[in-house]
Amino acid sequence: MPASLQEVKRRIVSTKKTGQITSAMQMVSTAKLSQIQKHSVSYQVYASKIRSVITHLAQSHLLDSASAVESGKDQVGKLNTLGMLKQRPVKKTGIVVVTSDRGLVGSYNSNVIKQTLDLIKENGHTKDDVVIIAVGGTGAEFFSKRGYNVAYEFRGVKDVPTFREVRPIVEAIVTMYSNGLYDQLFVCYNHFVNTLTSIFRAEKMLPITAENMGDDDLTALDEDQKYHIEYETEPSRDAILEVILPQYAESLVYGAILDAKTSEHASSSTAMKSASDNAKDIISALELQYNRARQSAITTEITEITGAQAALD
Protein backbone atom coordinates (compact mmCIF):
# COMPACT_ATOMS: atom_id res chain seq x y z
CA MET A 1 0.00 0.00 0.00
CA PRO A 2 1.44 3.42 -0.87
CA ALA A 3 2.79 5.54 1.99
CA SER A 4 0.19 8.26 1.34
CA LEU A 5 -2.64 5.77 1.93
CA GLN A 6 -1.04 4.58 5.15
CA GLU A 7 -0.75 8.17 6.34
CA VAL A 8 -4.40 8.91 5.55
CA LYS A 9 -5.49 5.71 7.30
CA ARG A 10 -3.39 6.65 10.34
CA ARG A 11 -5.02 10.07 10.46
CA ILE A 12 -8.50 8.52 10.28
CA VAL A 13 -7.76 6.22 13.23
CA SER A 14 -6.24 9.09 15.22
CA THR A 15 -9.18 11.42 14.54
CA LYS A 16 -11.69 8.70 15.51
CA LYS A 17 -9.92 8.27 18.86
CA THR A 18 -9.95 12.05 19.41
CA GLY A 19 -13.66 12.13 18.55
CA GLN A 20 -14.36 9.39 21.09
CA ILE A 21 -12.53 11.40 23.77
CA THR A 22 -14.37 14.67 23.00
CA SER A 23 -17.69 12.81 22.88
CA ALA A 24 -17.02 11.32 26.32
CA MET A 25 -16.01 14.73 27.67
CA GLN A 26 -19.22 16.21 26.28
CA MET A 27 -21.30 13.60 28.12
CA VAL A 28 -19.39 14.26 31.35
CA SER A 29 -19.87 18.04 31.05
CA THR A 30 -23.57 17.57 30.28
CA ALA A 31 -23.99 15.39 33.37
CA LYS A 32 -22.20 17.99 35.52
CA LEU A 33 -24.38 20.73 34.03
CA SER A 34 -27.54 18.83 34.88
CA GLN A 35 -26.33 18.23 38.43
CA ILE A 36 -25.33 21.84 39.12
CA GLN A 37 -28.56 23.21 37.61
CA LYS A 38 -30.61 21.20 40.12
CA HIS A 39 -28.43 22.60 42.90
CA SER A 40 -28.77 26.16 41.57
CA VAL A 41 -32.56 26.04 41.59
CA SER A 42 -32.70 25.29 45.31
CA TYR A 43 -30.00 27.83 46.10
CA GLN A 44 -31.82 30.64 44.27
CA VAL A 45 -34.63 30.42 46.82
CA TYR A 46 -32.18 31.12 49.66
CA ALA A 47 -30.35 33.85 47.72
CA SER A 48 -33.64 35.58 46.93
CA LYS A 49 -34.68 35.55 50.59
CA ILE A 50 -31.40 36.91 51.94
CA ARG A 51 -31.36 39.65 49.28
CA SER A 52 -34.96 40.51 50.16
CA VAL A 53 -33.99 40.91 53.82
CA ILE A 54 -31.07 43.21 52.96
CA THR A 55 -33.33 45.19 50.60
CA HIS A 56 -35.85 45.74 53.39
CA LEU A 57 -33.10 46.82 55.76
CA ALA A 58 -31.85 49.26 53.14
CA GLN A 59 -35.37 50.66 52.70
CA SER A 60 -35.70 51.18 56.44
CA HIS A 61 -32.33 53.04 56.45
CA LEU A 62 -31.03 50.56 59.01
CA LEU A 63 -27.88 50.07 56.91
CA ASP A 64 -27.33 53.82 56.69
CA SER A 65 -27.58 54.26 60.45
CA ALA A 66 -25.12 51.42 61.02
CA SER A 67 -22.63 52.46 58.31
CA ALA A 68 -21.05 55.05 60.56
CA VAL A 69 -20.19 52.39 63.11
CA GLU A 70 -17.20 50.15 62.56
CA SER A 71 -16.83 47.12 64.77
CA GLY A 72 -13.41 45.71 65.46
CA LYS A 73 -12.44 42.10 65.92
CA ASP A 74 -13.64 41.38 69.43
CA GLN A 75 -12.65 37.75 69.08
CA VAL A 76 -9.91 36.03 67.19
CA GLY A 77 -11.06 35.17 63.68
CA LYS A 78 -14.26 37.23 63.91
CA LEU A 79 -14.99 39.25 60.79
CA ASN A 80 -15.34 43.01 60.91
CA THR A 81 -18.88 42.74 59.58
CA LEU A 82 -20.02 46.32 60.14
CA GLY A 83 -16.91 47.44 58.31
CA MET A 84 -18.57 46.10 55.16
CA LEU A 85 -20.96 49.07 55.36
CA LYS A 86 -18.23 51.68 55.65
CA GLN A 87 -17.85 53.94 52.62
CA ARG A 88 -14.67 55.86 51.86
CA PRO A 89 -13.16 57.74 48.90
CA VAL A 90 -12.29 55.30 46.13
CA LYS A 91 -8.55 55.11 45.55
CA LYS A 92 -8.24 51.43 44.73
CA THR A 93 -10.74 48.96 43.32
CA GLY A 94 -10.86 45.26 44.07
CA ILE A 95 -12.13 42.87 41.40
CA VAL A 96 -13.09 39.25 42.00
CA VAL A 97 -12.54 37.43 38.68
CA VAL A 98 -14.14 33.99 38.40
CA THR A 99 -12.58 31.75 35.73
CA SER A 100 -11.91 28.04 35.35
CA ASP A 101 -8.81 26.10 36.36
CA ARG A 102 -8.55 24.33 33.00
CA GLY A 103 -9.05 24.81 29.29
CA LEU A 104 -11.37 23.06 26.83
CA VAL A 105 -14.21 25.39 27.78
CA GLY A 106 -14.56 27.34 24.55
CA SER A 107 -14.59 31.13 24.89
CA TYR A 108 -15.62 31.01 28.57
CA ASN A 109 -12.34 32.25 30.07
CA SER A 110 -11.42 34.67 27.30
CA ASN A 111 -14.84 36.34 27.53
CA VAL A 112 -14.57 36.93 31.31
CA ILE A 113 -11.02 38.24 31.06
CA LYS A 114 -11.74 40.50 28.07
CA GLN A 115 -14.84 42.01 29.68
CA THR A 116 -12.98 42.52 32.97
CA LEU A 117 -10.20 44.38 31.16
CA ASP A 118 -12.86 46.51 29.43
CA LEU A 119 -14.41 47.28 32.85
CA ILE A 120 -11.02 48.38 34.19
CA LYS A 121 -10.45 50.58 31.14
CA GLU A 122 -13.95 52.11 31.17
CA ASN A 123 -13.58 53.13 34.82
CA GLY A 124 -10.24 54.78 34.09
CA HIS A 125 -8.21 52.45 36.29
CA THR A 126 -4.59 51.46 35.86
CA LYS A 127 -2.71 48.40 37.09
CA ASP A 128 -1.72 50.32 40.22
CA ASP A 129 -5.37 51.13 41.01
CA VAL A 130 -6.66 47.56 40.78
CA VAL A 131 -6.41 44.62 43.16
CA ILE A 132 -7.31 41.23 41.67
CA ILE A 133 -8.91 38.43 43.67
CA ALA A 134 -8.70 35.43 41.34
CA VAL A 135 -11.05 32.46 41.69
CA GLY A 136 -9.67 29.98 39.16
CA GLY A 137 -6.17 29.39 37.84
CA THR A 138 -6.69 30.83 34.35
CA GLY A 139 -7.52 34.31 35.61
CA ALA A 140 -4.77 34.22 38.24
CA GLU A 141 -2.10 33.34 35.70
CA PHE A 142 -3.34 35.86 33.13
CA PHE A 143 -3.32 38.86 35.46
CA SER A 144 -0.10 37.84 37.23
CA LYS A 145 1.81 37.64 33.95
CA ARG A 146 0.60 41.11 33.00
CA GLY A 147 1.77 42.79 36.19
CA TYR A 148 -1.52 43.15 38.07
CA ASN A 149 -1.59 42.87 41.84
CA VAL A 150 -3.17 39.45 42.50
CA ALA A 151 -3.75 39.75 46.24
CA TYR A 152 -5.62 36.48 46.66
CA GLU A 153 -5.87 33.33 44.58
CA PHE A 154 -8.23 30.39 44.99
CA ARG A 155 -7.95 27.27 42.83
CA GLY A 156 -9.58 23.89 42.78
CA VAL A 157 -13.25 24.88 42.97
CA LYS A 158 -15.34 21.71 42.81
CA ASP A 159 -17.57 20.92 39.85
CA VAL A 160 -20.54 21.53 42.13
CA PRO A 161 -19.23 24.09 44.66
CA THR A 162 -20.26 23.93 48.30
CA PHE A 163 -21.08 26.82 50.58
CA ARG A 164 -18.18 25.84 52.82
CA GLU A 165 -15.70 26.47 50.00
CA VAL A 166 -16.78 30.10 49.73
CA ARG A 167 -16.21 31.09 53.36
CA PRO A 168 -12.39 31.42 53.16
CA ILE A 169 -12.81 33.59 50.06
CA VAL A 170 -15.37 35.85 51.77
CA GLU A 171 -13.20 36.13 54.90
CA ALA A 172 -10.20 37.15 52.79
CA ILE A 173 -12.27 39.67 50.80
CA VAL A 174 -13.81 41.33 53.86
CA THR A 175 -10.49 41.39 55.75
CA MET A 176 -8.71 43.06 52.83
CA TYR A 177 -11.51 45.62 52.54
CA SER A 178 -11.41 46.35 56.28
CA ASN A 179 -7.61 46.75 56.09
CA GLY A 180 -7.99 49.32 53.32
CA LEU A 181 -6.39 47.27 50.54
CA TYR A 182 -9.19 48.49 48.28
CA ASP A 183 -12.15 50.84 48.70
CA GLN A 184 -14.77 49.10 46.58
CA LEU A 185 -15.19 45.58 45.26
CA PHE A 186 -16.75 44.14 42.10
CA VAL A 187 -17.47 40.49 41.34
CA CYS A 188 -16.98 39.62 37.63
CA TYR A 189 -18.21 36.33 36.18
CA ASN A 190 -20.19 34.73 33.35
CA HIS A 191 -23.91 34.48 34.07
CA PHE A 192 -25.56 31.32 32.73
CA VAL A 193 -28.54 31.99 30.45
CA ASN A 194 -28.84 28.70 28.58
CA THR A 195 -26.62 25.97 27.18
CA LEU A 196 -25.49 28.14 24.28
CA THR A 197 -25.52 31.59 25.89
CA SER A 198 -23.82 33.24 28.84
CA ILE A 199 -23.64 36.95 29.72
CA PHE A 200 -20.84 38.77 31.54
CA ARG A 201 -21.83 40.34 34.84
CA ALA A 202 -20.00 42.78 37.11
CA GLU A 203 -21.79 43.23 40.46
CA LYS A 204 -20.68 45.66 43.13
CA MET A 205 -20.29 43.80 46.41
CA LEU A 206 -18.57 46.21 48.79
CA PRO A 207 -19.37 48.51 50.44
CA ILE A 208 -22.89 47.24 51.07
CA THR A 209 -25.20 50.21 50.50
CA ALA A 210 -28.79 50.84 49.46
CA GLU A 211 -27.51 51.79 46.00
CA ASN A 212 -25.99 48.30 45.59
CA MET A 213 -29.43 46.74 45.87
CA GLY A 214 -30.35 48.08 42.44
CA ASP A 215 -33.49 49.76 41.23
CA ASP A 216 -35.29 46.47 40.58
CA ASP A 217 -34.93 45.38 44.19
CA LEU A 218 -36.00 48.71 45.65
CA THR A 219 -38.98 49.17 43.34
CA ALA A 220 -40.13 45.61 44.01
CA LEU A 221 -41.59 46.82 47.31
CA ASP A 222 -45.09 48.26 47.10
CA GLU A 223 -45.88 51.79 48.24
CA ASP A 224 -47.12 50.77 51.69
CA GLN A 225 -43.89 48.87 52.33
CA LYS A 226 -41.74 51.76 51.15
CA TYR A 227 -43.19 54.33 53.52
CA HIS A 228 -44.21 52.32 56.57
CA ILE A 229 -41.24 50.02 57.23
CA GLU A 230 -40.08 50.06 60.81
CA TYR A 231 -37.93 47.46 62.54
CA GLU A 232 -37.57 46.60 66.20
CA THR A 233 -34.29 44.72 66.59
CA GLU A 234 -33.55 42.20 69.31
CA PRO A 235 -31.03 41.86 70.86
CA SER A 236 -29.57 44.86 68.98
CA ARG A 237 -29.13 46.33 65.53
CA ASP A 238 -25.41 45.48 65.40
CA ALA A 239 -26.00 41.89 66.54
CA ILE A 240 -28.55 41.39 63.76
CA LEU A 241 -26.28 42.88 61.10
CA GLU A 242 -23.30 40.80 62.25
CA VAL A 243 -25.33 37.71 61.32
CA ILE A 244 -27.07 39.00 58.19
CA LEU A 245 -24.18 40.78 56.47
CA PRO A 246 -21.77 37.79 56.31
CA GLN A 247 -24.62 35.64 54.97
CA TYR A 248 -25.35 38.25 52.31
CA ALA A 249 -21.67 38.47 51.31
CA GLU A 250 -21.38 34.68 51.18
CA SER A 251 -24.54 34.45 49.08
CA LEU A 252 -23.16 36.96 46.56
CA VAL A 253 -19.81 35.21 46.16
CA TYR A 254 -21.25 31.70 46.26
CA GLY A 255 -23.99 32.67 43.83
CA ALA A 256 -21.43 34.12 41.41
CA ILE A 257 -19.21 31.03 41.62
CA LEU A 258 -22.18 28.67 41.24
CA ASP A 259 -23.47 30.66 38.27
CA ALA A 260 -20.00 30.78 36.73
CA LYS A 261 -19.50 27.03 37.19
CA THR A 262 -22.85 26.39 35.50
CA SER A 263 -21.75 28.55 32.59
CA GLU A 264 -18.38 26.76 32.52
CA HIS A 265 -19.98 23.31 32.25
CA ALA A 266 -22.34 24.54 29.53
CA SER A 267 -19.45 26.08 27.61
CA SER A 268 -17.39 22.90 27.98
CA SER A 269 -20.30 20.75 26.77
CA THR A 270 -20.84 23.02 23.76
CA ALA A 271 -17.11 23.12 22.93
CA MET A 272 -16.78 19.33 23.11
CA LYS A 273 -19.88 18.85 20.95
CA SER A 274 -18.39 21.21 18.39
CA ALA A 275 -15.09 19.30 18.54
CA SER A 276 -16.90 15.96 18.09
CA ASP A 277 -18.82 17.32 15.10
CA ASN A 278 -15.60 18.66 13.59
CA ALA A 279 -13.96 15.27 14.09
CA LYS A 280 -16.82 13.59 12.19
CA ASP A 281 -16.42 16.09 9.33
CA ILE A 282 -12.66 15.48 9.20
CA ILE A 283 -13.15 11.69 9.24
CA SER A 284 -15.66 11.93 6.37
CA ALA A 285 -13.24 14.05 4.33
CA LEU A 286 -10.33 11.71 5.07
CA GLU A 287 -12.34 8.60 4.24
CA LEU A 288 -13.35 10.15 0.91
CA GLN A 289 -9.70 11.02 0.25
CA TYR A 290 -8.62 7.49 1.24
CA ASN A 291 -11.24 5.80 -0.97
CA ARG A 292 -10.35 7.96 -3.95
CA ALA A 293 -6.63 7.27 -3.52
CA ARG A 294 -7.29 3.55 -3.05
CA GLN A 295 -9.54 3.46 -6.12
CA SER A 296 -6.89 5.30 -8.12
CA ALA A 297 -4.24 2.81 -6.97
CA ILE A 298 -6.43 -0.18 -7.90
CA THR A 299 -7.18 1.34 -11.30
CA THR A 300 -3.48 1.88 -11.89
CA GLU A 301 -2.70 -1.73 -10.93
CA ILE A 302 -5.43 -3.08 -13.26
CA THR A 303 -4.11 -0.90 -16.09
CA GLU A 304 -0.58 -2.17 -15.51
CA ILE A 305 -1.71 -5.82 -15.43
CA THR A 306 -3.78 -5.36 -18.59
CA GLY A 307 -0.88 -3.64 -20.31
CA ALA A 308 1.55 -6.40 -19.32
CA GLN A 309 -0.83 -9.08 -20.53
CA ALA A 310 -1.28 -7.26 -23.84
CA ALA A 311 2.49 -7.03 -24.22
CA LEU A 312 2.85 -10.80 -23.64
CA ASP A 313 0.23 -11.53 -26.23
Side-chain angles (χ1 to χ4, degrees), residues 60-296:
S60 66
H61 303 290
L62 194 64
L63 299 182
D64 296 336
S65 61
S67 62
V69 180
E70 183 177 359
S71 65
K73 288 189 176 182
D74 299 327
Q75 301 174 7
V76 177
K78 186 178 179 181
L79 283 178
N80 183 2
T81 53
L82 295 186
M84 297 162 67
L85 301 170
K86 187 177 181 181
Q87 302 182 55
R88 49 182 181 255
V90 178
K91 296 179 181 178
K92 287 196 174 185
T93 298
I95 300 179
V96 179
V97 184
V98 185
T99 60
S100 69
D101 288 315
R102 60 184 180 85
L104 302 177
V105 289
S107 61
Y108 170 80
N109 288 318
S110 60
N111 181 56
V112 175
I113 291 172
K114 180 181 180 298
Q115 295 286 353
T116 302
L117 292 175
D118 289 343
L119 176 68
I120 293 172
K121 185 177 180 180
E122 288 170 4
N123 291 334
H125 297 309
T126 64
K127 293 180 180 180
D128 297 331
D129 302 328
V130 175
V131 177
I132 299 294
I133 295 93
V135 179
T138 303
E141 292 172 2
F142 178 88
F143 286 102
S144 294
K145 289 179 180 179
R146 283 154 183 79
Y148 284 86
N149 177 18
V150 181
Y152 183 83
E153 179 181 334
F154 188 91
R155 301 187 185 220
V157 178
K158 295 179 180 178
D159 292 325
V160 181
T162 62
F163 214 76
R164 185 176 298 178
E165 283 184 271
V166 172
R167 284 174 181 162
I169 303 174
V170 175
E171 289 177 2
I173 287 171
V174 174
T175 300
M176 286 187 285
Y177 180 77
S178 300
N179 293 340
L181 190 61
Y182 42 78
D183 306 301
Q184 63 178 356
L185 180 71
F186 291 90
V187 181
C188 299
Y189 63 98
N190 264 348
H191 165 62
F192 174 77
V193 178
N194 55 49
T195 307
L196 299 176
T197 308
S198 60
I199 300 175
F200 175 79
R201 276 189 178 177
E203 298 180 347
K204 189 174 182 180
M205 176 181 168
L206 294 175
I208 298 175
T209 62
E211 290 78 10
N212 288 6
M213 298 298 103
D215 295 336
D216 293 339
D217 294 311
L218 295 178
T219 55
L221 304 175
D222 59 39
E223 294 301 318
D224 291 337
Q225 286 177 309
K226 286 183 181 180
Y227 294 106
H228 297 93
I229 291 178
E230 184 176 347
Y231 282 93
E232 293 182 2
T233 57
E234 179 66 32
S236 67
R237 177 201 62 194
D238 292 355
I240 297 296
L241 291 177
E242 285 177 357
V243 174
I244 294 296
L245 293 180
Q247 290 183 5
Y248 175 66
E250 288 172 353
S251 72
L252 276 181
V253 177
Y254 180 68
I257 293 175
L258 193 65
D259 202 356
K261 268 293 179 182
T262 306
S263 180
E264 178 187 334
H265 294 323
S267 183
S268 177
S269 177
T270 302
M272 292 302 100
K273 183 181 185 304
S274 178
S276 298
D277 292 342
N278 289 338
K280 291 178 182 178
D281 293 340
I282 292 173
I283 290 169
S284 296
L286 288 174
E287 286 179 342
L288 180 60
Q289 179 184 348
Y290 176 81
N291 290 333
R292 283 178 176 174
R294 186 167 176 270
Q295 184 178 8
S296 176

Side-chain angles (χ1 to χ4, degrees), residues 8-28:
V8 172
K9 191 172 183 180
R10 191 180 299 114
R11 288 182 60 190
I12 291 174
V13 173
S14 175
T15 306
K16 283 183 177 179
K17 290 180 179 178
T18 302
Q20 290 173 349
I21 293 171
T22 55
S23 180
M25 293 178 69
Q26 177 195 346
M27 289 189 289
V28 170

